[in-house]
């Protein structure tokens, strides 16, 4: 009985596998799908009857359509045999006995008789496994990162350690599909109907990438803020998606060899929020004030402040107040500020001496009261 079933299975499978297949992208794929098997289209709008072909067998002459933005990986018995990176329609050709077809010019005897005998030895099923997989060559979006507590790094501009809680996302690109499949994709995803998605929370491999990115954030912040080409400013992070992506990619590569071992690279980042700790916030406020008072703006602001202080002193403290402001201005270096030129005032001692001499002459009767008043007015500049 077993032999009869094996013969029926072998002959039936061989006849069904003579039809050429038409492979393409499955329906309903998420935009974040990275790797998935090509699926045969047995029917189209009610037409077609190629629905009984064996799984993992692609008949010679079958056509595979590769859309823009995707690559095609071909596999035979678990090994990668070819890779195509350009969009277009391709024809499958294989020397394997199970792929031969009467419709592909492989003759009649070989595809039917030899395949039937070969499959009979395996209980009626094919003794080979062939597969075609699409690999996304686009930027894959919506890969999230975030920290639950502060991370810390040394900052060259602030000259101290700073800390922050941050979250955001990045785009990921598969730069070497062969490395990616060989070294990173679990075997469970190299099956029809399976989709490898970096954003799938049930994907243990994707979760590993998330943990590695979070572990690389502190080194990435340090690389960015300590790079003189970036101006050493952490405040530029949220405006420089490409610059920080390069720092994050470099940190990930240094720690986990994404590109060299797995064929993966981070392309762009978007920092949704970054909340600095209390000490860092105070330091940033100081930096902001220093920036606001730098250059010509600071010079103008200082001049206005001194002028206002002189006016207030003149109103409230008279000459003593003015002398105090003058001393303070000299200590602050205000003497270097550009001020309108004014005539030098007469020395106070000289004025007092002249008035004293004129008073003595009045008391001796040498001059009149009118003469004294005129000398007084001239000395005081009245």
């Amino acid at each position: 009985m077993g032999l009869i079933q094996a013969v029926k299975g072998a002959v039936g499978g061989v006849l069904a596998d003579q039809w050429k297949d038409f492979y393409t992208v499955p329906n309903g794929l998420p935009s974040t799908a990275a790797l998935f098997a090509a699926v045969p289209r047995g029917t189209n709008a009610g037409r077609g009857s190629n629905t009984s072909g064996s799984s993992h067998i692609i008949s010679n002459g079958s056509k595979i359509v590769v859309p823009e933005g995707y690559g095609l990986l071909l596999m035979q018995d678990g090994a990668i045999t070819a890779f195509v990176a350009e969009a277009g329609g391709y024809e499958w050709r294989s020397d394997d006995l199970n792929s031969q077809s009467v419709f592909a010019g492989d003759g009649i005897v070989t595809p039917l008789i030899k395949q039937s005998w070969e499959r009979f030895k395996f209980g009626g099923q094919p003794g080979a496994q062939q597969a075609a997989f699409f690999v996304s060559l686009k930027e894959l979006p919506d890969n999230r990162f975030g920290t639950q507590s502060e991370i810390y790094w040394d900052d060259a501009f602030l000259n101290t350690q700073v800390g922050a809680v941050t979250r955001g996302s990045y785009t990921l690109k598969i730069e070497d599909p062969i490395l990616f499949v060989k070294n990173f994709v679990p075997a469970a995803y190299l099956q029809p109907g399976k989709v490898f998605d970096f954003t799938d929370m049930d994907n243990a491999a994707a979760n590993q990438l998330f943990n590695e990115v979070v572990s690389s954030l502190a080194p990435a912040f340090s690389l960015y803020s300590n790079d003189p080409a970036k101006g050493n400013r952490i405040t530029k992070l949220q405006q420089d998606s490409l610059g920080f992506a390069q720092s994050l990619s470099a940190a990930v590569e240094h720690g986990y060899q994404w590109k060299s071992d797995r064929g993966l690279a981070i392309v762009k980042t978007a920092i949704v929020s970054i909340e600095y700790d209390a000490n860092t916030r105070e330091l940033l406020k100081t930096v902001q004030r220093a920036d606001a008072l730098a250059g010509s703006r600071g010079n103008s602001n200082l001049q206005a402040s001194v002028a206002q202080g002189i006016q207030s002193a003149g109103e409230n403290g008279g000459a003593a107040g003015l002398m105090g402001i003058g001393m303070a201005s000299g200590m602050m270096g205000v003497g270097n500020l550009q001020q309108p030129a004014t005539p030098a005032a007469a020395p106070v001692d000289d004025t007092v001496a002249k008035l004293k001499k004129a008073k003595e002459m009045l008391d001796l009767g040498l001059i009149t009261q009118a003469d004294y008043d005129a000398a007084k007015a001239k000395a005081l500049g009245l």
Side-chain angles (χ1 to χ4, degrees), residues 112-376:
L112 296 176
I113 305 302
K114 289 188 176 180
Q115 280 189 37
S116 296
W117 172 244
E118 190 67 22
R119 295 188 185 194
F120 175 75
K121 292 189 294 185
F122 288 93
Q125 65 179 346
Q129 188 181 64
Q130 300 161 342
F133 291 92
F134 290 112
V135 182
S136 177
L137 302 179
K138 305 176 182 180
E139 289 184 41
L140 297 168
D142 206 30
N143 300 282
R144 307 296 180 91
F145 65 81
T147 60
Q148 295 181 344
S149 58
E150 288 87 356
I151 56 175
Y152 292 90
W153 67 94
D154 292 329
D155 186 271
F157 181 76
L158 296 178
N159 197 30
T160 188
Q161 189 179 72
V162 299
V165 175
T166 184
R167 63 186 180 91
S169 64
Y170 61 92
T171 62
L172 189 63
K173 191 171 184 180
I174 303 171
E175 295 197 341
D176 190 328
I178 295 177
L179 271 181
F180 173 63
V181 172
K182 280 188 172 183
N183 295 345
F184 191 68
V185 177
Y189 289 95
L190 300 177
Q191 301 290 334
K194 287 287 189 177
V195 176
F196 187 98
D197 188 339
F198 289 108
T199 64
D200 183 4
M201 297 302 296
D202 296 326
N203 185 339
N207 287 334
Q208 176 65 27
L209 294 182
F210 170 84
N211 294 331
E212 290 176 2
V213 168
V214 172
S215 298
S216 302
L217 283 175
F221 282 130
S222 180
L223 283 173
Y224 186 91
S225 61
N226 294 321
D227 183 357
K230 304 290 191 306
N232 301 113
R233 295 295 186 99
I234 58 177
T235 51
K236 294 183 179 179
L237 282 169
Q238 290 172 283
Q239 306 166 9
D240 189 5
S241 61
L242 286 175
F244 182 65
Q246 292 171 355
S247 297
L248 182 57
S249 184
V252 168
E253 180 65 19
H254 181 267
Y256 302 100
Q257 294 77 52
W258 275 24
K259 190 172 183 178
S260 56
D261 287 355
R262 302 168 179 170
L264 299 174
I266 293 173
V267 183
K268 296 184 181 70
T269 58
I271 297 181
V272 178
S273 68
I274 180 166
E275 301 174 6
Y276 301 105
D277 64 7
N279 292 335
T280 305
R281 287 197 299 270
E282 288 301 317
L283 285 171
L284 289 174
K285 287 180 181 178
T286 303
V287 171
Q288 288 175 340
R289 286 193 292 266
D291 287 346
L293 295 176
S296 59
R297 178 183 296 178
N299 191 30
S300 300
N301 184 73
L302 189 55
Q303 288 186 38
S305 299
V306 171
Q308 183 178 1
I310 291 174
Q311 181 179 356
S312 299
E315 293 175 352
N316 301 322
L322 290 173
M323 290 177 63
I325 288 294
M327 293 175 63
S329 298
M331 293 174 64
M332 294 169 60
V334 181
N336 293 327
L337 300 178
Q338 296 180 355
Q339 297 285 359
T342 55
V348 176
D349 292 342
D350 185 54
T351 301
V352 172
K354 288 181 179 180
L355 290 175
K356 185 177 180 181
K357 184 175 181 180
K359 184 66 169 64
E360 290 176 349
M361 293 175 68
L362 175 62
D363 293 339
L364 294 173
L366 299 176
I367 60 173
T368 65
Q369 185 64 41
D371 295 330
Y372 173 78
D373 293 337
K376 180 180 177 181

Side-chain angles (χ1 to χ4, degrees), residues 41-50:
R41 296 294 186 186
T43 60
N44 187 350
R47 293 179 294 276
S49 58
N50 188 14

Side-chain angles (χ1 to χ4, degrees), residues 72-107:
L72 177 67
L73 273 172
L74 302 180
M75 301 185 73
Q76 172 80 33
D77 296 332
I80 297 174
T81 58
F83 174 70
V84 175
E86 295 183 6
Y90 296 87
E91 183 179 293
W92 171 275
R93 299 297 302 187
S94 174
D95 294 332
D96 189 271
L97 180 63
N98 292 279
S99 289
Q100 295 185 7
S101 168
V102 297
F103 301 117
D106 294 325

